[in-house]
Amino acid sequence: MVRSNMSEITAEQVAHLANLARIDLSSEEISRLTLELGQIVDSVAKVAEVATPDVPATSHPMPLTNVFRADTVVPSLTVEQALSGAPDRDGDKFRVPAILDEE
């Protein structure tokens, strides 16, 4: 039975989970995954130790703020200007090849 330093993940558990998932693992893969899963469990436990109620939850290590600009109306392209370089058009729309054989 292979164990990582602190976790209680066993080779038997890994083999059982592989069987449930219908994954055929060699004994070497079971040993490696037992160690890796144990390290993951240990890492999560370390994070849980410092994630106390007095530590605020964050989604990013640095504070982020949105930078907004005034929404002002400015002149835009006319339909003719926008379609002037189009290889093909259908009235006021671009015409492109069908990709799903649908109209």
Side-chain angles (χ1 to χ4, degrees), residues 13-74:
Q13 290 171 320
V14 173
H16 178 67
L17 289 173
N19 184 47
L20 291 174
R22 303 206 188 315
I23 300 172
D24 186 23
L25 297 177
S26 69
S27 58
E28 293 82 20
E29 291 171 316
I30 290 174
S31 296
R32 182 176 47 82
L33 287 171
T34 301
L35 180 62
E36 290 176 3
L37 289 171
Q39 290 170 341
I40 291 169
V41 169
D42 292 344
S43 297
V44 170
K46 286 180 187 175
V47 170
E49 288 175 11
V50 296
T52 60
D54 58 328
V55 176
T58 58
S59 63
H60 197 277
M62 299 176 64
L64 297 177
T65 56
N66 286 330
V67 179
F68 295 104
R69 63 173 173 78
D71 190 13
T72 56
V73 177
V74 295

